[in-house]
Amino acid sequence: MTSARPIHDAAQRGYTSASDSYQRGRPEYPEALAEWLDATLGAREGARVVDLGAGTGKFTKLLARTGASITAVEPVDAMRARLAESLPDVRALGGTAEAIPLEDGAADVVVCAQAFHWFANAQALREMHRVLRPGGRLGLVWNVRDESRDWVAAITEIITPYEGDAPRFYKGTWKQPFEGQSLFGPLQRTVLPHSHVGTFDQVVIDRILSVSFIASLPETEQHAVAQRLRALRDRFAELRAPTIAFPYATEAWLAERLPSA
């Protein structure tokens, strides 16, 4: 096992302070993803699956329905405590992508939901390759906001100035570790439509306050962001409805573990 790199400050501070809003505001995953997990990724009854960067267990709940043997790995104590509380039958371990606390070949599947961009580096890929059996599969999943909708794009305009150097899925830099390596085969992409239905406070306020670099802001600044988000209801009538369907596209990526050189 290799030594762990430090967790990015925005993730450590933001997710420690925002486990409650993360649990309330983060969307679940589309039902169609369950079929992808089974038929494409191989997360099914009898399989050994590692949920890496498991957070509060939002995605772990879907994995648990597959009947697979699940091990959740999460470095942030507050997030892992929420996972253990909601999913007491799931094995939950402290660890990072660069130092996974499992033996060689211990997993048939490693999956990272809303997480891989935080640890997209060569050391993490080597560690995932190590814990996967030959022919095992790596799955990467993200719920991505549909910014073709005007009010979703307006939300992004509000929060982007705060992101600093926090890794983001949309930048695409998470793909770089796969370039020129011989540990995993080509990335294969599946896109599924999805929406998060709830009140404005649930799907907008709680969701955005759970973003790592927003959650790590001083409380007064978080309040200012929330006020700017609430002001969007004056511009967009759709946001004044009792329930809102926040549009997403769920991107599911697969790479197969190659034999060791």
Side-chain angles (χ1 to χ4, degrees):
M1 235 181 287
T2 54
S3 60
R5 293 188 180 190
I7 304 170
H8 193 285
D9 184 61
Q12 180 68 66
R13 293 193 297 117
Y15 291 145
T16 295
S17 64
S19 62
D20 287 342
S21 57
Y22 190 103
Q23 187 67 10
R24 290 192 307 266
R26 292 284 171 139
E28 305 289 346
Y29 295 86
E31 283 297 316
L33 189 61
E35 181 179 352
W36 181 85
L37 289 172
D38 182 333
T40 303
L41 192 61
R44 59 178 71 100
E45 188 171 358
R48 302 164 301 163
V49 177
V50 176
D51 184 3
L52 187 58
T56 63
K58 282 274 186 179
F59 187 72
T60 319
K61 287 193 300 183
L62 182 60
L63 281 177
R65 286 169 42 191
T66 67
S69 174
I70 311 296
T71 299
V73 177
E74 168 56 44
V76 179
D77 293 342
M79 304 285 271
R80 194 171 64 255
R82 292 300 298 264
L83 186 153
E85 179 182 343
S86 61
L87 295 166
D89 294 332
V90 170
R91 182 189 186 197
L93 304 176
T96 67
E98 297 88 356
I100 302 171
L102 295 170
E103 297 180 353
D104 296 4
D108 301 300
V109 171
V110 171
V111 62
C112 312
Q114 304 295 132
F116 183 77
H117 54 286
W118 286 108
F119 42 77
N121 59 70
Q123 184 177 340
L125 275 195
R126 288 193 297 269
E127 188 69 345
M128 295 176 204
H129 185 272
R130 180 187 68 78
V131 302
L132 279 167
R133 64 163 174 79
R137 293 185 168 185
L138 171 63
L140 312 175
V141 177
W142 286 273
N143 283 325
V144 182
R145 295 191 302 273
D146 180 1
E147 294 178 352
S148 67
R149 297 283 285 277
D150 52 2
W151 58 267
V152 179
I155 290 172
T156 298
E157 288 178 7
I158 290 172
I159 66 172
T160 297
Y162 295 98
E163 71 181 29
D165 67 349
R168 304 294 306 281
F169 168 80
Y170 81 86
K171 294 178 180 177
T173 53
W174 62 269
K175 296 178 185 177
Q176 291 176 358
F178 289 95
E179 298 171 2
Q181 51 81 39
S182 59
L183 302 174
F184 290 92
L187 286 164
Q188 304 169 47
R189 177 177 178 247
T190 298
V191 181
L192 303 167
H194 187 34
S195 63
H196 185 199
V197 179
T199 67
F200 178 83
D201 279 357
Q202 289 171 329
V203 305
V204 176
I205 301 299
D206 284 338
R207 172 65 183 92
I208 298 306
L209 292 183
S210 79
V211 172
S212 60
F213 55 84
I214 300 298
S216 63
L217 292 173
E219 189 173 341
T220 54
E221 194 66 25
Q222 290 184 50
H223 180 72
V225 171
Q227 290 301 101
R228 292 184 65 193
L229 293 171
R230 293 186 192 283
L232 293 178
R233 291 181 294 182
D234 296 330
R235 293 172 54 192
F236 303 103
E238 188 174 350
L239 297 180
R240 298 194 291 271
T243 58
I244 299 165
F246 198 125
Y248 287 87
T250 299
E251 296 204 15
W253 296 75
L254 165 73
E256 187 168 339
R257 181 198 189 277
L258 299 177
S260 300

